[in-house]
Amino acid sequence: MTEKVSALNKKESSWSGRFSEPVAELVKKYTASVGFDYRLAPYDIQGSLAHARMLSQQGIITHEDHVAIEKGLNEILQEIASGSFEWLLDLEDVHLNIEKRLTDKIGDAGKRLHTGRSRNDQVATDVRLWLRATTDHVMAGLRNLQSSLLDLAEANFDTVMPGFTHLQVAQPVTFGHHLMAYVEMLKRDAERFSDVRRRINRLPLGAAALAGTSYPIDRDMVAQALGFEGVCENSLDAVSDRDFAIEFTAAASLVMMHLSRLSEELILWSSPRFAFIDIADRFCTGSSIMPQKKNPDVPELVRGKTGRVYGHLTALLTLMKGQPLAYNKDNQEDKEPLFDTADTLLVTLEIYADMLRLPVIENGVVVKTGFVVNKENMRKAASEGFATATDLADYLVKKGMPFRDAHEAVALAVRYAVDKEVDLSDLPLATLQEFASEIDQDVYAVLTLEGSLNSRDHRGGTAPSQVKKAIDRARQEMR
Ligand code: ARG
């Protein structure tokens, strides 16, 4: 895009009458935003169309001027869409580029479009319109990823894996249950975006430069035409605050944080030391020197890009903190962090949803590769780390032993089994009884992985029957 921004040699700034010399070339480049805010063009035109219709209805411009403005703006929209529009750096930003083109096309009527408006309320409106549409895309992306996770969870509702605390084997869980934890996180993320959307969805136009305007405008009409839920109540606030952009970036940071955690797990699980999963080759790369390597690039980059989005959040917070009311040029710096946050988040959601998709198998043949779960390895890992030790302690409690005593008895049994290099369930009954005389033959049902899983049979627990219910509820909520 930047290459498309060419220099205009004539001194054509819309405010040039006040100045005795042209802006220095380097300053022009420094202050221009068209290299990135050209993305707002469709929203800028949408806002101008609504503004012009209101000006005409209120008798502030004539019907003829309105017709000319509408025709001109629609032509410009086409020029931009087809790539024939020439963006000029000298015209500073998206707003002045479009306005100049309009004036070139339709003359004085074009110059009347800016009546009762300032670039300050104009840019705030454009950013809100763009961000509202972007928020809707993010919410669709979250749903798509949730649906991938739900399919994977369903296919693994009873797949046994070790659950970890401190990254040490803790208790058996199902892989479906583990995945459903991320579905919950993404549900909250989606809630945050729909909440942010309500605050994005307010109209700044009418605030003009900062104090409002003396023309008899109808803000409600413009708000309605642009699909805003209402107007920003205070003109100074309307043109100056970017808290809605900060909120969006904060919500994006939380999604990235969640996906970074999952990424870290995928990276661990796909290492041969775990060998729990295989990520399809199209999401990985090899090493130029080590032929055996298959690197989980996508999860690693998601983890890395999380830092990038956090950086944008810090940038936006810092951008606002020292600004007195009302608009300051600082605010022009809101766009690049915001655009990059949205771009990073949207592409991450899309790739992630695809990466977690199950392989497509037709007549026993894999027609599309996908996310592979090595169930045997997961199960083996769950049976190796004394994952059912807590179940043995709970068993003793149910036989009347105080929990602390049961904990100690089982700890001693585990230590013994570690020495002998066997699992608790491999110890004969007589040996187990040396640690607690309450132990009976029925203990072996408790020491199995399935026994442990099935006993956690309540809402939010890992029992496969509960995981199924959780998946059903999540699907229901997504309808
Ligand atoms: N490009 C500016 C921005 O992004 C538009 C508003 C400029 N307003 C002004 N008074 N210079 O914030």
Short mmCIF file of all heavy atoms in Angstrom, two decimals, residues 277-304:
data_model
loop_
_atom_site.label_atom_id
_atom_site.label_comp_id
_atom_site.label_asym_id
_atom_site.label_seq_id
_atom_site.Cartn_x
_atom_site.Cartn_y
_atom_site.Cartn_z
N ILE A 277 0.39 -36.62 20.74
CA ILE A 277 -0.36 -36.15 19.57
C ILE A 277 0.56 -36.01 18.36
O ILE A 277 1.79 -35.97 18.50
CB ILE A 277 -1.00 -34.76 19.82
CG1 ILE A 277 0.09 -33.72 20.17
CG2 ILE A 277 -2.06 -34.81 20.90
CD1 ILE A 277 -0.31 -32.29 19.88
N ASP A 278 -0.07 -35.95 17.20
CA ASP A 278 0.65 -35.58 15.97
C ASP A 278 -0.10 -34.45 15.31
O ASP A 278 -1.31 -34.55 15.08
CB ASP A 278 0.70 -36.78 15.01
CG ASP A 278 1.93 -37.63 15.27
OD1 ASP A 278 3.02 -37.05 15.33
OD2 ASP A 278 1.77 -38.86 15.43
N ILE A 279 0.61 -33.38 15.01
CA ILE A 279 0.01 -32.25 14.30
C ILE A 279 0.24 -32.50 12.81
O ILE A 279 1.33 -32.95 12.41
CB ILE A 279 0.67 -30.93 14.75
CG1 ILE A 279 0.38 -30.70 16.24
CG2 ILE A 279 0.18 -29.76 13.91
CD1 ILE A 279 1.13 -29.53 16.85
N ALA A 280 -0.78 -32.27 11.99
CA ALA A 280 -0.66 -32.53 10.55
C ALA A 280 0.54 -31.78 9.97
O ALA A 280 0.85 -30.66 10.39
CB ALA A 280 -1.95 -32.15 9.83
N ASP A 281 1.17 -32.41 9.00
CA ASP A 281 2.42 -31.87 8.43
C ASP A 281 2.27 -30.44 7.92
O ASP A 281 3.22 -29.66 7.95
CB ASP A 281 2.92 -32.75 7.28
CG ASP A 281 3.51 -34.06 7.81
OD1 ASP A 281 3.55 -34.23 9.05
OD2 ASP A 281 3.90 -34.90 6.97
N ARG A 282 1.07 -30.08 7.43
CA ARG A 282 0.95 -28.75 6.82
C ARG A 282 1.06 -27.62 7.83
O ARG A 282 1.10 -26.45 7.45
CB ARG A 282 -0.34 -28.64 6.00
CG ARG A 282 -1.63 -28.69 6.79
CD ARG A 282 -2.83 -28.57 5.84
NE ARG A 282 -4.10 -28.64 6.52
CZ ARG A 282 -4.66 -29.75 6.99
NH1 ARG A 282 -4.04 -30.89 6.84
NH2 ARG A 282 -5.82 -29.72 7.60
N PHE A 283 1.10 -27.96 9.11
CA PHE A 283 1.27 -26.92 10.15
C PHE A 283 2.68 -26.94 10.73
O PHE A 283 2.97 -26.26 11.71
CB PHE A 283 0.24 -27.11 11.27
CG PHE A 283 -1.17 -27.05 10.77
CD1 PHE A 283 -1.91 -28.21 10.60
CD2 PHE A 283 -1.75 -25.83 10.45
CE1 PHE A 283 -3.21 -28.15 10.11
CE2 PHE A 283 -3.04 -25.77 9.97
CZ PHE A 283 -3.77 -26.93 9.79
N CYS A 284 3.55 -27.76 10.16
CA CYS A 284 4.89 -27.94 10.74
C CYS A 284 5.95 -27.71 9.67
O CYS A 284 5.66 -27.69 8.48
CB CYS A 284 5.03 -29.37 11.27
SG CYS A 284 3.80 -29.77 12.53
N THR A 285 7.18 -27.53 10.11
CA THR A 285 8.29 -27.49 9.16
C THR A 285 9.39 -28.42 9.64
O THR A 285 9.40 -28.85 10.80
CB THR A 285 8.90 -26.09 9.03
OG1 THR A 285 9.43 -25.72 10.30
CG2 THR A 285 7.89 -25.06 8.57
N GLY A 286 10.31 -28.72 8.72
CA GLY A 286 11.45 -29.55 9.08
C GLY A 286 12.64 -28.69 9.41
O GLY A 286 12.57 -27.47 9.42
N SER A 287 13.75 -29.35 9.68
CA SER A 287 14.99 -28.64 9.95
C SER A 287 15.88 -28.79 8.74
O SER A 287 15.88 -29.83 8.08
CB SER A 287 15.66 -29.24 11.18
OG SER A 287 17.04 -28.96 11.17
N SER A 288 16.64 -27.73 8.44
CA SER A 288 17.52 -27.79 7.27
C SER A 288 18.75 -28.65 7.56
O SER A 288 19.47 -29.02 6.66
CB SER A 288 17.93 -26.38 6.87
OG SER A 288 18.45 -25.73 8.00
N ILE A 289 18.98 -28.95 8.82
CA ILE A 289 20.18 -29.73 9.15
C ILE A 289 19.87 -31.06 9.80
O ILE A 289 20.56 -32.06 9.58
CB ILE A 289 21.15 -28.87 10.02
CG1 ILE A 289 22.34 -29.70 10.51
CG2 ILE A 289 20.45 -28.23 11.19
CD1 ILE A 289 23.44 -28.89 11.12
N MET A 290 18.77 -31.13 10.59
CA MET A 290 18.47 -32.37 11.30
C MET A 290 17.29 -33.07 10.64
O MET A 290 16.14 -32.68 10.80
CB MET A 290 18.14 -32.05 12.77
CG MET A 290 19.30 -31.42 13.51
SD MET A 290 18.80 -30.66 15.06
CE MET A 290 18.07 -29.14 14.48
N PRO A 291 17.56 -34.13 9.88
CA PRO A 291 16.52 -34.75 9.06
C PRO A 291 15.35 -35.32 9.87
O PRO A 291 14.26 -35.49 9.33
CB PRO A 291 17.26 -35.88 8.33
CG PRO A 291 18.68 -35.75 8.65
CD PRO A 291 18.87 -34.79 9.76
N GLN A 292 15.57 -35.64 11.13
CA GLN A 292 14.50 -36.28 11.91
C GLN A 292 13.46 -35.30 12.43
O GLN A 292 12.40 -35.69 12.90
CB GLN A 292 15.12 -37.05 13.10
CG GLN A 292 15.42 -36.23 14.37
CD GLN A 292 16.66 -35.34 14.29
OE1 GLN A 292 17.23 -35.13 13.23
NE2 GLN A 292 17.07 -34.81 15.43
N LYS A 293 13.75 -33.97 12.33
CA LYS A 293 12.90 -32.99 13.01
C LYS A 293 11.58 -32.70 12.30
O LYS A 293 11.51 -32.61 11.09
CB LYS A 293 13.66 -31.65 13.14
CG LYS A 293 14.83 -31.68 14.09
CD LYS A 293 14.44 -31.79 15.56
CE LYS A 293 13.86 -30.51 16.11
NZ LYS A 293 14.83 -29.42 16.07
N LYS A 294 10.53 -32.56 13.12
CA LYS A 294 9.26 -32.01 12.64
C LYS A 294 8.85 -30.99 13.70
O LYS A 294 8.49 -31.35 14.81
CB LYS A 294 8.22 -33.13 12.51
CG LYS A 294 6.84 -32.62 12.11
CD LYS A 294 5.86 -33.77 11.92
CE LYS A 294 4.44 -33.27 12.07
NZ LYS A 294 3.44 -34.33 11.93
N ASN A 295 8.98 -29.74 13.34
CA ASN A 295 8.80 -28.68 14.34
C ASN A 295 7.38 -28.14 14.36
O ASN A 295 6.81 -27.86 13.30
CB ASN A 295 9.77 -27.53 14.06
CG ASN A 295 11.22 -27.97 14.14
OD1 ASN A 295 11.57 -28.86 14.93
ND2 ASN A 295 12.07 -27.38 13.32
N PRO A 296 6.81 -27.98 15.57
CA PRO A 296 5.44 -27.47 15.67
C PRO A 296 5.40 -25.95 15.53
O PRO A 296 5.07 -25.22 16.46
CB PRO A 296 5.01 -27.91 17.07
CG PRO A 296 6.29 -27.97 17.86
CD PRO A 296 7.40 -28.29 16.89
N ASP A 297 5.71 -25.47 14.33
CA ASP A 297 5.86 -24.02 14.10
C ASP A 297 4.62 -23.21 14.46
O ASP A 297 4.73 -22.12 15.02
CB ASP A 297 6.16 -23.74 12.63
CG ASP A 297 7.52 -24.23 12.24
OD1 ASP A 297 7.83 -25.39 12.56
OD2 ASP A 297 8.27 -23.45 11.63
N VAL A 298 3.45 -23.73 14.10
CA VAL A 298 2.25 -22.91 14.32
C VAL A 298 2.03 -22.66 15.81
O VAL A 298 1.93 -21.49 16.23
CB VAL A 298 1.00 -23.51 13.62
CG1 VAL A 298 -0.26 -22.83 14.10
CG2 VAL A 298 1.15 -23.36 12.11
N PRO A 299 1.99 -23.70 16.65
CA PRO A 299 1.85 -23.40 18.10
C PRO A 299 2.97 -22.50 18.62
O PRO A 299 2.72 -21.62 19.45
CB PRO A 299 1.90 -24.78 18.76
CG PRO A 299 1.55 -25.75 17.70
CD PRO A 299 1.95 -25.15 16.39
N GLU A 300 4.18 -22.70 18.13
CA GLU A 300 5.28 -21.85 18.62
C GLU A 300 5.05 -20.39 18.24
O GLU A 300 5.28 -19.48 19.04
CB GLU A 300 6.62 -22.33 18.04
CG GLU A 300 7.09 -23.64 18.63
CD GLU A 300 8.34 -24.14 17.93
OE1 GLU A 300 9.43 -23.64 18.26
OE2 GLU A 300 8.23 -25.00 17.04
N LEU A 301 4.57 -20.18 17.01
CA LEU A 301 4.33 -18.80 16.59
C LEU A 301 3.15 -18.17 17.31
O LEU A 301 3.16 -16.97 17.61
CB LEU A 301 4.09 -18.74 15.07
CG LEU A 301 5.35 -18.53 14.25
CD1 LEU A 301 5.03 -18.60 12.77
CD2 LEU A 301 6.00 -17.18 14.58
N VAL A 302 2.15 -18.98 17.60
CA VAL A 302 1.01 -18.45 18.36
C VAL A 302 1.52 -17.98 19.73
O VAL A 302 1.17 -16.89 20.20
CB VAL A 302 -0.10 -19.51 18.52
CG1 VAL A 302 -1.16 -19.04 19.51
CG2 VAL A 302 -0.74 -19.83 17.17
N ARG A 303 2.37 -18.80 20.33
CA ARG A 303 2.96 -18.42 21.62
C ARG A 303 3.76 -17.13 21.46
O ARG A 303 3.68 -16.23 22.29
CB ARG A 303 3.87 -19.58 22.08
CG ARG A 303 4.15 -19.63 23.55
CD ARG A 303 4.92 -20.91 23.91
NE ARG A 303 6.11 -21.10 23.06
CZ ARG A 303 6.92 -22.17 23.13
NH1 ARG A 303 6.68 -23.13 24.00
NH2 ARG A 303 7.96 -22.28 22.33
N GLY A 304 4.51 -17.03 20.37
CA GLY A 304 5.31 -15.83 20.14
C GLY A 304 4.47 -14.60 19.84
O GLY A 304 4.73 -13.51 20.35
#
